[in-house]
Amino acid sequence: GNDSTKDGFYWSEELKESMPDVPVIFVTSYNDEYAQKVMLANANVIGYMTKPIDKEILEKYFVKIQKKKKEENCEKSETETRV
């Protein structure tokens, strides 16, 4: 269910466990260096942004996600070709 007492750290871990391939971009109103480092250490976290959202930074994260997915698809194709 929806539990408002659980924060982004909690939900990023839950998402990593249940859907590790889903990229995550954190958007927050807090500019906290420690939180940013911890969240970015999570394997599926692509980025961390503070509000208000900067459209150019968001677009860069989307490009990063597209490149990562493309690389993963190429690696998958190469692996399948070898088998």
Side-chain angles (χ1 to χ4, degrees), residues 26-31 49-54:
F26 275 99
V27 180
T28 181
S29 57
Y30 301 105
N31 191 4
M49 299 179 64
T50 55
K51 296 175 186 175
I53 294 174
D54 182 322

Side-chain angles (χ1 to χ4, degrees), residues 3-16 24-28 30 35-36 38-40 42 44-45 47-48:
D3 187 345
S4 62
T5 62
K6 296 182 177 160
D7 62 12
F9 293 109
Y10 173 84
W11 292 115
S12 69
E13 288 299 317
E14 286 291 307
L15 189 59
K16 182 171 76 173
V24 174
I25 300 170
F26 275 99
V27 180
T28 181
Y30 301 105
Q36 183 176 1
V38 170
M39 290 180 188
L40 290 173
N42 185 322
N44 59 338
V45 175
Y48 181 96

Side-chain angles (χ1 to χ4, degrees), residues 2 9 18 21 32-33 36 39 41 48 63-64 70 73 77 82-83:
N2 186 5
F9 293 109
S18 61
D21 295 333
D32 181 339
E33 280 187 46
Q36 183 176 1
M39 290 180 188
Y48 181 96
V63 168
K64 187 175 178 179
K70 190 174 185 176
N73 288 338
S77 293
R82 289 186 212 142
V83 175

Side-chain angles (χ1 to χ4, degrees), residues 73-83:
N73 288 338
C74 287
E75 289 172 6
K76 185 178 177 182
S77 293
E78 289 175 6
T79 303
E80 289 173 353
T81 303
R82 289 186 212 142
V83 175

Side-chain angles (χ1 to χ4, degrees), residues 51-79:
K51 296 175 186 175
I53 294 174
D54 182 322
K55 182 181 173 186
E56 290 179 17
I57 293 173
L58 185 60
E59 287 174 351
K60 286 179 184 179
Y61 286 140
F62 287 149
V63 168
K64 187 175 178 179
I65 290 168
Q66 289 173 328
K67 284 182 181 179
K68 184 177 178 185
K69 290 294 178 187
K70 190 174 185 176
E71 289 170 3
E72 289 171 357
N73 288 338
C74 287
E75 289 172 6
K76 185 178 177 182
S77 293
E78 289 175 6
T79 303

